[in-house]
């Protein structure tokens, strides 16, 4: 609501006679609220004047549902959820510490596609009532597109692109290696799953060219976000026709044409003989027989010539096949030798990799979560962090605590040196770990980005993401169950590894200014995060 109308509303309420003390209004932002599927969103609603009286009743209502099945209800100083709509059970929460000051906002957790629509913030007393409506829009950015060759089409290749988890319906763009738009006539299909999220499949036909790199870009216009996949197709994949094949088929066509010509001449000659029998004497018949014998001789000579040419073409084909077979065997032998060479080099370098891992491990530190920074919906111990079921814990509202996001920091911060720790993520689908600056935003919903002081690596469903400026995503074939974190402040590097295989996952290069703290976000899914004990 704009400042001037709000001022008039306050003036009207403050000038109300003493007998009308129950006069009040509720306010909310005028713009639609955009929520991300799977995350939390706050529907803002404020009471003016900012005092929630004991006889007041608060109902959050989805306009598409009835008044008697509210999204959330607060009455008599406590939540009243016996009539709550089943679709919202366990997913709503009020800010109880702020209700008496007029903050009636609703936190909707694990947003779903079906949550979109209009909502009412409705407040009533025995003598008065007031409400305000707001729109909730829902959006989701899908997983990294998968590109692949689908097959051959004439002289070209069919290239396909697939991605899931989008809402609303995404758009797709195809570009070649020069950045030119090749979205001319793609065959694109969209299909919604049981949660209402869209999967998109698109194919285009490409031909041999100077630039055989093609990318498909899937775009969510509501979020102004996209995901992109690409594929490089070597010239060797495109259909090729060798010279000997062309010669062979030309000779075959000549043979067939010659046989057709012989048959045509024979057929015409038979017709002429039949006509002569009907109209001429025996002498003419003899002349025709003699002519027929000559034509027969010519046809046999022509046929023999064509047969010899066909046999020569077959021999040439066999010779060419033998050459190709020999070339294939030579190339196969070369590839095998190169593979053995690379395998030998790998075994030579393995001790060096192990020594680097031992060096990092020598900087192992004990990391413990700081309860004073933990969100009220988290349960933390010295080694475990998980989302709390049921109502949030009652904790002091200290400046260092995260009040909206499921975040917690390590108890000790670092300003110099190298530090190594390991976190068990098991089979969790949603989590983030890393380091943050001491000065990061603690209240509200901070954006995980290096520009905001967050250097994190995590899992978002099927994809793994990093908190760079593009929120880049990556696909990891073997999902790690333990993540090793190595912070080298002197070198300005933060690296993440698969702790079981020592496989490098990602490295940030950054100039850390000030003290940095370990960071953990377990998400709402179970089980929680486990900080593994190490021998420092």
């Amino acid at each position: 609501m704009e400042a001037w109308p709000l001022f008039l509303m306050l003036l009207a309420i403050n000038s109300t006679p003493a007998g009308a003390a129950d006069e009040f209004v509720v306010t909310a932002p005028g713009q639609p609220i955009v929520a991300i599927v799977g995350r939390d969103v706050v529907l803002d609603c404020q009471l003016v004047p900012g005092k929630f009286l004991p006889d007041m009743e608060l109902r959050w209502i989805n306009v598409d549902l009835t008044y008697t099945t509210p999204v959330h209800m607060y009455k008599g100083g406590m939540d009243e959820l016996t009539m709550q709509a089943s679709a919202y059970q366990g997913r709503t929460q009020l800010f109880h510490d702020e209700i008496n000051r007029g903050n009636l906002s609703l936190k909707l957790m694990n947003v779903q596609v079906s949550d979109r629509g209009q909502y009412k913030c409705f407040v009533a007393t025995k003598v008065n009532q007031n409400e305000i409506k707001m729109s909730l829009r829902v959006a989701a950015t899908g997983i990294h597109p998968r590109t692949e060759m689908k097959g051959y089409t004439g002289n070209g290749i069919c290239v396909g692109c697939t991605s899931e988890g989008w809402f609303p319906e995404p758009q797709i763009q195809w570009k070649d290696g020069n950045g030119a738009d090749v979205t001319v006539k793609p065959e694109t299909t969209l299909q919604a799953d049981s949660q209402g999220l869209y999967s998109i499949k698109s194919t285009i036909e490409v031909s041999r060219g100077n630039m055989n790199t093609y990318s498909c870009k899937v775009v969510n216009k509501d979020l102004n976000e996209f995901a992109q996949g690409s594929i490089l197709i070597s010239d060797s994949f495109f259909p090729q026709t060798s010279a000997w094949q062309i010669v062979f088929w030309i000779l075959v066509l000549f043979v067939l044409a010659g046989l057709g010509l012989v048959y045509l001449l024979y057929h015409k000659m038979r017709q002429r003989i039949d006509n002569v029998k009907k109209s001429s004497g025996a002498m003419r018949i003899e002349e025709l027989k003699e002519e027929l014998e000559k034509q027969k001789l010519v046809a046999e000579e022509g046929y023999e010539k064509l047969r010899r040419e066909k046999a020569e073409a077959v021999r040439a084909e066999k010779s060419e096949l033998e050459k190709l077979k020999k070339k294939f065997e030579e190339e196969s032998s070369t590839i095998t030798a190169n593979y053995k060479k690379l395998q030998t080099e790998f075994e030579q370098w393995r001790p060096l990799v192990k020594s680097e891992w031992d060096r990092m491990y020598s900087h192992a530190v004990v990391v413990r979560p700081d309860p004073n920074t933990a969100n009220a919906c988290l349960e933390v111990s010295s080694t475990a962090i998980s989302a709390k079921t049921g109502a949030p814990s009652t904790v002091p509202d200290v400046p260092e605590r995260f009040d909206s996001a499921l975040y917690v920091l390590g108890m000790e911060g670092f300003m110099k040196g190298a530090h190594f720790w390991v976190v068990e993520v098991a089979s969790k689908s949603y989590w983030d770990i890393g380091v943050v600056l001491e000065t990061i935003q603690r209240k509200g919903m901070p954006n995980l980005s290096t520009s905001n002081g967050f250097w994190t690596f995590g899992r978002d469903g099927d994809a793994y993401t990093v908190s760079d400026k593009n929120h880049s995503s990556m696909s990891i074939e073997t999902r790690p169950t333990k993540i090793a974190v190595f912070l080298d402040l002197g070198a300005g590097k933060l690296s993440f590894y698969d702790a079981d295989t020592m496989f490098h996952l990602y490295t940030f290069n950054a100039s850390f200014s000030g003290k940095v703290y370990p960071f953990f976000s377990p998400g709402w899914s179970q089980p929680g995060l486990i900080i593994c004990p190490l021998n420092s």
Side-chain angles (χ1 to χ4, degrees), residues 152-181:
Y152 291 94
T153 58
N155 291 325
I157 293 175
C158 181
V159 179
C161 177
T162 306
S163 182
E164 297 87 23
W166 295 84
F167 191 87
E169 294 183 1
Q171 296 182 348
I172 194 163
Q173 298 175 353
W174 285 93
K175 291 187 177 182
D176 63 15
N178 291 320
D181 193 341

Side-chain angles (χ1 to χ4, degrees), residues 125-304:
T125 65
K126 294 180 180 179
V127 296
N128 195 11
Q129 64 182 38
N130 195 253
E131 68 179 38
I132 193 166
K133 293 181 180 180
M134 62 198 73
S135 295
L136 176 64
R137 293 165 56 188
V138 176
T141 297
I143 65 174
H144 187 79
R146 303 182 298 277
T147 54
E148 59 181 346
M149 289 175 51
K150 307 292 287 187
Y152 291 94
T153 58
N155 291 325
I157 293 175
C158 181
V159 179
C161 177
T162 306
S163 182
E164 297 87 23
W166 295 84
F167 191 87
E169 294 183 1
Q171 296 182 348
I172 194 163
Q173 298 175 353
W174 285 93
K175 291 187 177 182
D176 63 15
N178 291 320
D181 193 341
V182 292
T183 317
V184 182
K185 292 182 179 180
E187 293 185 5
T188 302
T189 58
L190 289 166
Q191 186 174 357
D193 61 17
S194 59
Q195 298 179 351
L197 299 175
Y198 288 98
S199 61
I200 186 169
K201 296 181 180 179
S202 181
T203 59
I204 61 171
E205 180 179 347
V206 301
S207 57
R208 185 199 307 272
N210 293 329
M211 299 295 294
N212 290 336
T213 299
Y214 298 90
S215 64
C216 80
K217 180 179 180 182
V218 185
V219 182
N220 185 324
K221 285 198 170 182
D222 281 13
L223 296 177
N224 196 24
E225 293 182 354
F226 67 88
Q228 182 170 302
S230 61
I231 186 172
L232 173 63
I233 305 176
S234 171
D235 282 344
S236 62
F237 285 100
F238 288 91
Q240 302 184 40
T241 304
S242 61
W244 66 265
Q245 289 178 314
I246 296 175
V247 172
F248 172 75
W249 287 111
I250 290 176
L251 291 175
V252 170
L253 290 176
F254 273 123
V255 170
L256 295 176
L259 293 175
L261 179 60
V262 170
Y263 176 78
L264 181 62
L265 292 175
Y266 176 77
H267 185 68
K268 286 185 177 181
M269 185 60 64
R270 291 295 306 174
Q271 286 182 335
R272 291 178 63 182
I273 292 173
D274 292 340
N275 292 334
V276 168
K277 287 181 177 180
K278 296 178 181 179
S279 60
S280 303
M283 184 178 293
R284 182 58 180 165
I285 292 175
E286 291 297 327
E287 291 176 354
L288 290 175
K289 284 183 178 180
E290 188 176 337
E291 184 177 352
L292 178 60
E293 290 296 328
K294 291 180 180 180
Q295 294 291 343
K296 181 180 178 182
L297 182 60
V298 171
E300 290 176 349
E301 291 176 352
Y303 175 82
E304 182 62 24

Side-chain angles (χ1 to χ4, degrees), residues 443-464:
K443 307 302 179 183
M445 297 294 292
N447 181 21
L448 295 186
S449 172
T450 54
S451 59
N452 294 331
F454 292 82
W455 288 268
T456 65
F457 175 87
R459 182 178 175 185
D460 188 6
D462 290 334
Y464 290 81

Side-chain angles (χ1 to χ4, degrees), residues 338-499:
N338 289 338
Y339 170 79
K340 291 182 178 179
K341 180 180 178 181
L342 289 173
Q343 189 177 37
T344 301
E345 292 177 355
F346 173 79
E347 293 299 328
Q348 292 173 346
W349 280 97
R350 183 188 294 273
L352 178 61
V353 173
K354 182 64 169 60
S355 65
E356 177 63 15
W357 181 262
D358 292 340
R359 183 188 72 82
M360 291 190 298
Y361 201 96
S362 68
H363 295 285
V365 294
V366 177
V367 175
R368 299 184 297 268
D370 185 356
N372 289 330
T373 66
N375 181 274
C377 292
L378 290 180
E379 290 184 338
V380 299
S381 67
S382 60
T383 59
I385 306 165
S386 63
K388 176 179 174 62
T389 58
S393 301
T394 301
V395 294
D397 186 14
V398 293
E400 60 267 27
R401 186 180 307 282
F402 293 97
D403 65 347
S404 298
L406 290 181
Y407 300 160
V408 62
L409 303 185
M411 190 171 294
E412 291 83 14
F414 311 116
M415 294 191 66
K416 61 182 180 179
H419 310 276
F420 179 87
W421 63 93
V422 176
V423 181
E424 181 178 345
V425 297
S427 59
K428 288 177 63 61
S429 299
Y430 298 92
W431 50 265
D432 290 282
I433 60 175
V435 301
V436 299
L437 293 179
E438 184 178 21
T439 57
I440 58 167
Q441 173 188 347
R442 311 281 179 113
K443 307 302 179 183
M445 297 294 292
N447 181 21
L448 295 186
S449 172
T450 54
S451 59
N452 294 331
F454 292 82
W455 288 268
T456 65
F457 175 87
R459 182 178 175 185
D460 188 6
D462 290 334
Y464 290 81
T465 62
V466 294
S467 62
D468 61 8
K469 63 179 181 179
N470 297 322
H471 287 86
S472 301
S473 62
M474 63 186 68
S475 178
I476 300 177
E477 184 174 345
T478 301
R479 298 195 182 282
T481 59
K482 294 181 181 178
I483 304 297
V485 185
F486 182 62
L487 172 65
D488 191 344
L489 292 169
K493 292 180 180 294
L494 174 65
S495 300
F496 300 89
Y497 300 84
D498 184 330

